[in-house]
Structure formats: C-alpha cells, structure tokens
Amino acid sequence: MNDHIRDIESVNFSALDLNLLRVFDAMMAELSTVRAGERVGLSQPAVSSALGRLRALLDDELFVREGNQMMPTARALELRQPIRQALAGMEEALATNAAFDPTTSTRSFVLIGSDYFSSLLMPPLAARVAKTAPFVTLQMIDHASSEVFEMLRDGRADIVIDRSLEPPEWVISRKLFQSWLVCIAKRGHPLLASHGICPGDAIPADVFCAVPHVLRSADGSRTGTIDPALARLGLARRVMVTVPHFQAVALAVEASEMLGSIPVHFARMLTGRLMLDVFRPPMDSPKMDVTMYWLRRFDRDPGSVWLRDQIAHALSAPEPPWFPIATEPDHKRLEAGSARA
C-alpha cells in the first residue's frame, strides 16, 4: 500500500484537483459515468472530463469499456484502496465537528436492506424525513449480506439494515427489533380447510410437506431454515418455486395453492392488502434480530446520528402478535383455531 501511496505522491500535486479523486472513487463504486456523476453531484460530461484529466496525470486509461460497462485497469485496481482510505480520512476529519441541520441539509444517504426491511422501514421513515428534512435524499438498495460491510467501508452505503451478522471491529451495530417466520396460504386454502386447519393454527408437518412451497431465496437455493428440522423427522417438502423477494412470495401464494414463509411483521402488513391467511409453522421459527449497522468512524457524525435516530423511531412500533388481526369474515375461524390451540 505504501508503494501505491508513493505512486500518488509522485503526481504533480500542484496540477491535481482533489475532486478528481472523488470522481475516481465514485467510478470505482459505480463503473458508470452517469451513476458516478449522480453520486458526486456532477453531470456525465463533467465526470468524463474529470476522468480525462486524471488519465493524463496518471498516464493510464483507468477505465476501459467492455460491452456496456466501464471496467477498471490494473492501475485503477491498485489505486482504489489507498484513494478510498485517503478520502475516508478526510471525510472523518471534516465530519467530526460538522453541524447537521436537517431542515436545510441536502445530504444524500444510502441504505442497504432487502425488500422486507425496505417495505417496513421506508414508508414511515420517508414520512418522518419529509416533515423534518425536506431536502435530504434517501436511497435504499438491496445487496447480498456477505458484501454489505465492504460497501460500508468503501463509502457506497451509510447504513445497513439486516439480520444479525458478525460485523468486523470497525462496524457498530444496534438491535432494532425481533422477527420470526410465519406460514401464509391463500385465503380458504382447500387442502388446509379439508384438514380442519384454521388461520392461527400450526400446520402439522405431514400436511406442511404435502403442499408445494414457494421459497424466498436470493441465490436460488431450495433449502430454508425449516428443512433440517423436517429431515430429522424423515420428512421433506417440495419447493416448487424460488423467488428473490418476500413480496414475490406473498403474491405467488395468493395466486396459487402453494405455501410460503415470510417474516411476521411483513405478514401483518400484507394480509390487510392481499387475500392471505396466516398459520404457525410445524416447528417454532427461530427468532431473528433485525439490526442496524454503520461505520465506527461515523459513530459521532451528526448526520449519521440523526439518520440512525430516525430509523430507530420509524421501526419502534410495538411487537405484533404472531398472526395479524383477522379481517371480519375470518373472526369465527380464528376463534375456533385458538380454542383448539
């Protein structure tokens, strides 16, 4: 790394505009002049011009087009980390005592979270922010959990909302609430009804395995958290469909006779909008700690502190029952299920 820093220092600094390094950093994150411009508040032509100046200074192409994407050269890959660390140091130094006034700030924040977290968080968070910080921009993106801490470190995100993970020592976490999985089926599912299984009941393991399933799986895997427990009973379910989002699980369940499993808070929100019934799984679902993560070096940054407080308040609703409040036509079935539980 010291060699790479010396490479940077060998450039004529009197000719180096530090904004060029911000453009380089944005290009490494986005690999697109348009998106890099949005990240640093420049037009696409301005980004291209900045890259041209940086190429001349460093005597390297830095980014070359491969198909529809700009790809970094070997020199750009070598310079990525030292430039990111240098910019991060400057950001930290400048942010230490920087004031943050939400009523006038035009700051943009990037959050990472799945459709489950974005559906629960963004409506109440947007409502809070719109009232107190009308010029702040919130962007929420989905990304694999295995890469979220790298994205925090590289400045591609400010906050991560995810399940309980093992963060590195330079990341701080805060538990927001607990969640767990419940089963959903389309309202009045014929096979469940024929077995006298009412909303609120636990679905027996053999019936659970007799119905095809739709599974939320980001990578296409057809194994969920309940499958090892079923295997210990000598049982296996048939996963007919996998989809990358919980919302798609709910929509597929409503349109078919498949079963699905989604987090309880999400189930409570969706059953008021979709024709769904909610059941307990055959085995107790493990509890999941929904957690917020951020960089330790931004722990005292006023803007980050403000955003974390807004997120915590937006997700501070009381814990729901394990099933959502029933709609009027289902009251008697829920009461009957509770009587047998």
Side-chain angles (χ1 to χ4, degrees), residues 31-78:
L31 298 179
S32 161
T33 54
V34 174
R35 293 195 300 272
E38 292 173 351
R39 193 180 186 91
V40 296
L42 294 174
S43 65
Q44 189 272 339
V47 170
S48 296
S49 175
L51 288 176
R53 293 167 59 194
L54 200 53
R55 283 166 172 146
L57 284 167
L58 297 175
D59 192 25
D60 190 86
E61 282 293 301
L62 297 178
F63 300 93
V64 295
R65 184 168 295 281
E66 291 185 6
N68 294 324
Q69 195 171 30
M70 299 292 287
M71 299 301 293
T73 65
R75 182 77 187 284
L77 291 173
E78 289 175 352

Side-chain angles (χ1 to χ4, degrees), residues 19-197:
N19 282 319
L20 300 183
L21 301 185
R22 293 179 60 239
V23 171
F24 174 86
D25 186 54
M27 274 296 297
M28 287 300 301
E30 302 291 350
L31 298 179
S32 161
T33 54
V34 174
R35 293 195 300 272
E38 292 173 351
R39 193 180 186 91
V40 296
L42 294 174
S43 65
Q44 189 272 339
V47 170
S48 296
S49 175
L51 288 176
R53 293 167 59 194
L54 200 53
R55 283 166 172 146
L57 284 167
L58 297 175
D59 192 25
D60 190 86
E61 282 293 301
L62 297 178
F63 300 93
V64 295
R65 184 168 295 281
E66 291 185 6
N68 294 324
Q69 195 171 30
M70 299 292 287
M71 299 301 293
T73 65
R75 182 77 187 284
L77 291 173
E78 289 175 352
L79 294 175
R80 174 182 181 173
Q81 196 55 31
I83 289 177
R84 170 89 294 269
Q85 289 185 348
L87 290 174
M90 287 189 286
E91 290 166 0
E92 184 175 8
L94 294 172
T96 301
N97 296 312
F100 178 81
D101 182 355
T103 63
T104 59
S105 176
T106 58
R107 188 165 166 180
S108 293
F109 295 97
V110 178
L111 297 84
I112 299 178
S114 70
D115 72 315
Y116 165 42
F117 302 125
S118 63
S119 297
L120 287 181
L121 170 63
M122 294 310 284
L125 180 62
R128 290 181 61 87
V129 170
K131 292 179 181 178
T132 59
F135 307 111
V136 163
T137 300
L138 301 176
Q139 298 171 273
M140 194 157 196
I141 60 176
D142 195 352
H143 216 280
S145 296
S146 60
E147 299 176 5
V148 295
F149 297 137
E150 178 183 345
M151 295 182 71
L152 280 178
R153 183 196 63 200
D154 292 348
R156 288 177 283 167
D158 300 286
I159 299 287
V160 171
I161 311 293
D162 210 319
R163 56 186 168 81
S164 181
L165 304 171
E166 289 292 333
E169 55 88 20
W170 38 268
V171 169
I172 296 179
S173 65
R174 173 180 175 180
K175 176 182 169 181
L176 296 170
F177 63 93
Q178 267 196 336
S179 189
W180 57 96
L181 294 178
V182 293
C183 295
I184 55 172
K186 77 173 185 178
R187 190 158 297 167
H189 189 287
L191 181 61
L192 299 183
S194 71
H195 284 79
I197 303 169

Side-chain angles (χ1 to χ4, degrees), residues 209 227-237 283:
C209 292
D227 293 289
L230 292 172
R232 288 193 290 270
L233 297 176
L235 297 171
R237 63 174 172 169
M283 298 86 172

Side-chain angles (χ1 to χ4, degrees), residues 187 271-272 274 276-277 324-332 334:
R187 190 158 297 167
T271 50
L274 302 178
L276 296 172
D277 286 331
I325 298 170
T327 54
E328 185 64 29
D330 293 326
H331 278 305
K332 291 184 179 179
L334 275 171

